[in-house]
Amino acid sequence: MKFTPARLPGVWIIDLELREDERGFLARTFCEREFQQHGLNTRWPQCNLTLTRRRGTIRGLHYQADPKPEIKLIRCAVGAIWDVLVDLRRNSPTFGQWEAFELTGQNRRMLYVPGGIAHGFQCLQDNSEVFYHMSEFYHPELARGVRWNDPQLAIPWPLPNPILSERDRQLPLLAELP
Ligand SMILES: Cc1cn([C@H]2C[C@H](O)[C@@H](COP(=O)(O)OP(=O)(O)O[C@H]3O[C@@H](C)C(=O)[C@@H](O)[C@H]3O)O2)c(=O)[nH]c1=O
C-alpha cells in the first residue's frame, strides 16, 4: 500500500499496490504491520457496507462523539463517490476546514480518517457501495453530525438537489456544536 498524508492532519490517502498477473490482481487492503509502521490504528471491531441507490444522494456529515470517537478506513467498492471530511477537532490547526476526495471502484483509493472528523459523501453513480472499517462499535446515542449545506463550510457538492435522510436534513450547523 502507498500511504500519502492528506491536508487535514492525521488523514491518510492509501492507494493499493496491485500484484498483477494473467488472472487479474491481488492487493492488500489492510496489513497490521504496514499500518503500525505509519502509526495507524490496527483494531477494527466493526465493518460496515452501504449501498446508495441514487446518484446525487448525500450521506453525512457524521461522527461519533466522545468517549467513543471512531477512526474510519473508507473505500468505495462499487461506483463512485465524492467524499468529504470536516475537521471538528478544536485543537487542530485545520479546525472547521474541509477536504474532499474522489473514491471510486476503479481507483480503489482508501481514506484513513481519525476521530473528531465528520465524514460524508455524495454518490456520483447509481448503486455505489462503500465499505468501512470502524475502530469502535456503533453507539447510536453518540451519533452526531454537521449539516451538509452549512454556509460556514460552503462545501461545493458536485450534484444539485441531493436526496438526504430526515436525520441528515436536520443536523446542526458547525457553530451550534457544543
Ligand atoms: C452507522 C451504523 C448504523 N446502523 C444502523 C442505524 C440505522 O438503522 C441504519 C442506517 O444508519 P445511518 O442512517 O446512520 O446510515 P448512514 O447515513 O449511511 O451512516 C453512515 O454515514 C457515513 C457518512 C459515515 O461516515 C458512517 O460512519 C455512518 O455514519 O443502520 C448500525 O446498525 N450500525 C452502524 O454502525
Side-chain angles (χ1 to χ4, degrees):
M1 281 167 275
K2 184 166 163 268
F3 293 75
T4 309
R7 189 173 61 79
L8 299 182
V11 175
W12 290 81
I13 300 160
I14 303 175
D15 288 307
L16 303 188
E17 288 176 321
L18 310 185
R19 289 150 206 269
E20 298 189 75
D21 63 26
E22 59 285 354
R23 299 166 300 174
F25 71 79
L26 184 147
R28 276 182 229 157
T29 60
F30 173 68
C31 168
E32 185 180 64
R33 196 165 40 208
E34 287 181 65
F35 272 52
Q36 262 167 6
Q37 281 163 358
H38 289 84
L40 305 184
N41 176 64
T42 58
R43 185 180 165 271
W44 306 108
Q46 190 184 309
C47 292
N48 295 338
L49 176 69
T50 60
L51 164 71
T52 305
R53 290 193 199 285
R54 297 295 303 274
R55 181 174 186 264
T57 302
I58 291 176
R59 294 182 188 247
L61 302 144
H62 298 160
Y63 64 101
Q64 191 157 279
D66 290 337
K68 300 283 180 190
E70 286 168 327
I71 304 166
K72 300 177 187 176
L73 183 63
I74 303 165
R75 183 164 64 89
C76 176
V78 177
I81 62 171
W82 195 71
D83 201 274
V84 179
L85 305 178
V86 180
D87 192 349
L88 301 178
R89 300 166 297 184
R90 301 239 171 227
N91 57 355
S92 166
T94 52
F95 172 77
Q97 295 182 24
W98 59 269
E99 187 170 7
F101 308 83
E102 191 158 311
L103 307 182
T104 71
Q106 282 189 334
N107 71 21
R108 304 188 179 90
R109 175 161 273 189
M110 300 194 292
L111 290 182
Y112 178 96
V113 182
I117 291 189
H119 167 251
F121 64 85
Q122 185 166 44
C123 174
L124 299 178
Q125 274 179 31
D126 287 352
N127 297 314
S128 290
E129 294 190 17
V130 177
F131 188 77
Y132 303 81
H133 289 62
M134 316 293 283
S135 70
E136 292 289 345
F137 293 107
Y138 175 55
H139 294 272
E141 72 286 4
L142 297 175
R144 302 279 188 282
V146 186
R147 185 102 51 84
W148 67 285
N149 60 353
D150 184 337
Q152 190 183 339
L153 296 172
I155 297 169
W157 299 97
L159 300 173
N161 308 320
I163 299 166
L164 289 141
S165 72
E166 194 48 41
R167 173 185 161 234
D168 286 355
R169 255 193 288 276
Q170 298 182 16
L171 289 172
L173 303 175
L174 177 61
E176 295 168 340
L177 296 185

